Amino acid sequence: MAKCADDRKEEAEKYKFTANEHFKNQRYNLAIEFYSKAIENYPDEAIYHGNRSFAYLRTECFGYALTDATKAIELDKNYVKGYYRRASAYMSLGKYKMAVKDYENVVRVRPFDKDAKLKMTECQKVVQMLLFQKAIAVDDKKSVADSINLDAMTIEDNYNGPALEDGKVTEKFVVELMEHYKEERKLHKKYAYKILLDIKVYFEQQPTLVDVSIPDDSKFTVCGDIHGQFYDLMNIFKLNGLPSTSNPYLFNGDFVDRGSFSIECIFTLFSFKLLYPDHFFMSRGNHESVTMNQMYGFEGEVRSKYTSQMGDLFTEVYNWLPLCHCLNNKVLVMHGGLFSEDSVSLDDIRKTQRNRQPPEEGIMCELLWSDPMPGTGRAVSKRGVGLQFGADITKKFLDFNNLDYIIRSHEVKDAGYEVAHAGLCITVFSAPNYCDTMGNKGAFITLRGDTMEPKYVVYAAVEHPPVKPMAYASSPLLRLFS
């Protein structure tokens, strides 16, 4: 017999209570599961959609968060938290003007809400800042790199950290740099700028899709997101050995943001790239972009440890990072995933113009943002950018391009990795206990050139100094998410 409305509401409330407990304990995926059960039982309650929206925000499913918040507002136009949630989703998606409108709605409903007024004002400042930047921008603007004068930078007598040798990265320099960073010390700005200028020149000469040859008897390691977790990066090298000509690595994007040791991570990785250019590889992730860096801490960290000018230089460097790598003509490695069209070829990727901020659609966007999903076909992205693709899409792409499987990153996985689509789509995520809250393992993949069969190494997080994730994201943008 069908349950009456009161019974359904009562059961939904029980699910909501369980979901709230999971949320409090930072088990966001379980919270989403139970909020969804509450919605299934009683879909007309705005709070259930609003709460699930908040959980989706925590798991960076900004597209789903936006949909839920909008549904909550449709159900109850006076539900203030719905506007808050939707504004946060809009901000995460870079839709700042839409976020302002939602905060204005909150202020209309609650004119004496000081927090709402503050967030509206801060959001308006962000919009004005972006408009100003757009107004002063010119197409032929001189690059930041061209404005750097290294000769004017002096090395103080009391500096006793690692030093470049004749302006070059050496093995000694990288080893000393890592030890220097472990002691929570800073690389001199002259050497930091020199590394950035040199790596920019190098990446400018690289193709959008890099072909990598792995000899039959050689090991090759693929790592996923690092997200500023320097001490976990050091643990990878402890477990798997330092990069070298005989121990090559590929780091598959999202080197920075979230974790508060992003500077240490990126200069370590760039140093290894300069030291072993043919045996150390780096792909761009969606967090190697201005919007993400403003939102999730890297911009603030660079400004705190160096200068805002260096932040602009990082942007120029990130624009030249390759978008993907093809290993032995068999395995394609990208940060995000596959495409909205079945006919995308490797040559199409090679022809993609990458020296820019990620667009909202097309090959570059999808390489950085897309995610696999169970089942078949394509679906709207849970993130609000890119798309979700099923097993049939993966199979078609691989067959069309004569590839064996793909490796991608971009998503937290409890075990550090996940094998999907009948083994054709592998996710690897190398930041354990992501943001000090997720409790996940980290993983990396090793391959041998003769078999190209993936092997997985799983590890737990290691201790780090007591600096919280996103410690440098103290701008108005961070407060918009509180």
Side-chain angles (χ1 to χ4, degrees), residues 249-260:
Y249 280 81
L250 164 58
F251 281 82
N252 195 29
D254 282 12
F255 321 115
V256 301
D257 277 340
R258 293 293 198 182
S260 294

Side-chain angles (χ1 to χ4, degrees), residues 88-375:
S88 295
Y90 278 137
M91 289 295 292
S92 301
L93 295 169
K95 300 181 185 296
Y96 306 110
K97 291 182 181 179
M98 300 296 288
V100 168
K101 289 181 180 179
D102 275 337
Y103 285 122
E104 288 173 346
N105 284 329
V106 175
V107 172
R108 273 194 217 98
V109 175
R110 297 171 62 174
F112 302 108
D113 187 327
K114 293 181 180 179
D115 182 63
K117 284 185 177 180
L118 176 63
K119 288 181 176 176
M120 180 182 72
T121 301
E122 291 175 335
C123 195
Q124 287 170 336
K125 287 179 182 177
V126 173
V127 172
Q128 291 301 316
M129 177 188 70
L130 294 172
L131 289 173
F132 175 73
Q133 290 174 346
K134 184 177 181 180
I136 65 174
V138 291
D139 292 339
D140 59 349
K141 184 175 81 171
K142 185 178 181 181
S143 77
V144 176
D146 292 339
S147 69
I148 305 299
N149 183 0
L150 288 176
D151 292 336
M153 300 180 192
T154 58
I155 308 294
E156 295 80 7
D157 292 339
N158 62 353
Y159 175 72
N160 61 356
L164 298 175
E165 298 179 24
D166 296 323
K168 302 294 183 183
V169 171
T170 62
E171 183 178 349
K172 177 175 179 288
F173 170 84
V174 182
V175 170
E176 289 183 356
L177 178 66
M178 290 185 292
E179 293 304 314
H180 193 69
Y181 281 154
K182 289 176 187 177
E183 296 170 0
E184 299 182 73
R185 301 167 70 193
K186 190 171 74 172
L187 177 66
H188 194 280
K189 69 176 182 179
K190 183 169 186 174
Y191 299 134
Y193 271 109
K194 183 64 164 65
I195 288 170
L196 287 175
L197 293 174
D198 287 352
I199 203 74
K200 179 175 182 284
V201 170
Y202 179 86
F203 282 135
E204 285 174 344
Q205 299 167 354
Q206 295 304 292
T208 296
L209 189 162
V210 177
D211 289 290
V212 179
S213 178
I214 307 171
D216 285 352
D217 58 349
S218 295
K219 181 185 82 171
F220 188 88
T221 302
V222 180
C223 296
D225 304 43
I226 297 298
H227 274 301
Q229 297 185 196
F230 174 74
Y231 295 87
D232 293 307
L233 173 62
M234 293 299 96
N235 190 41
I236 292 173
F237 293 153
K238 179 180 179 181
L239 295 171
N240 197 53
L242 290 176
S244 68
T245 55
S246 59
N247 193 26
Y249 280 81
L250 164 58
F251 281 82
N252 195 29
D254 282 12
F255 321 115
V256 301
D257 277 340
R258 293 293 198 182
S260 294
F261 304 94
S262 291
I263 278 287
E264 290 79 0
C265 287
I266 196 63
F267 277 120
T268 298
L269 296 174
F270 279 168
S271 296
F272 273 121
K273 180 61 182 171
L274 290 171
L275 182 60
Y276 303 117
D278 298 325
H279 298 86
F280 191 90
F281 304 92
M282 299 175 70
S283 288
R284 189 175 188 174
N286 63 301
H287 275 264
E288 279 69 58
S289 67
V290 171
T291 302
M292 294 292 105
N293 293 165
Q294 288 174 337
M295 196 101 47
Y296 294 105
F298 183 63
E299 181 186 75
E301 184 177 343
V302 177
R303 194 167 56 244
S304 175
K305 295 178 179 178
Y306 290 101
T307 65
S308 58
Q309 179 197 50
M310 182 180 284
D312 294 335
L313 181 55
F314 267 110
T315 295
E316 290 187 2
V317 173
Y318 290 159
N319 283 351
W320 284 108
L321 280 165
L323 299 183
C324 53
H325 293 73
C326 191
L327 312 181
N328 276 5
N329 299 312
K330 293 181 178 181
V331 179
L332 190 67
V333 186
M334 77 290 284
H335 180 73
L338 297 181
F339 312 100
S340 53
E341 302 290 338
D342 287 334
S343 58
V344 174
S345 68
L346 298 188
D347 280 341
D348 291 328
I349 297 173
R350 291 185 177 99
K351 294 172 185 175
T352 298
Q353 201 283 100
R354 72 184 189 277
N355 180 25
R356 53 180 171 157
Q357 288 302 291
E360 293 188 4
E361 59 183 15
I363 288 175
M364 181 175 177
C365 169
E366 291 159 359
L367 281 169
L368 298 181
W369 279 98
S370 292
D371 297 291
M373 66 177 185

Side-chain angles (χ1 to χ4, degrees), residues 39 43-54 64-86:
I39 290 168
D44 295 334
E45 177 57 66
I47 292 174
Y48 302 160
H49 295 275
N51 286 5
R52 190 171 69 174
S53 176
F54 201 12
Y64 286 177
L66 181 62
T67 299
D68 263 345
T70 299
K71 181 63 177 178
I73 293 166
E74 289 174 359
L75 291 169
D76 182 356
K77 295 219 171 354
N78 294 318
Y79 179 53
V80 173
K81 287 185 179 179
Y83 293 101
Y84 274 118
R85 305 289 182 257
R86 192 165 71 177

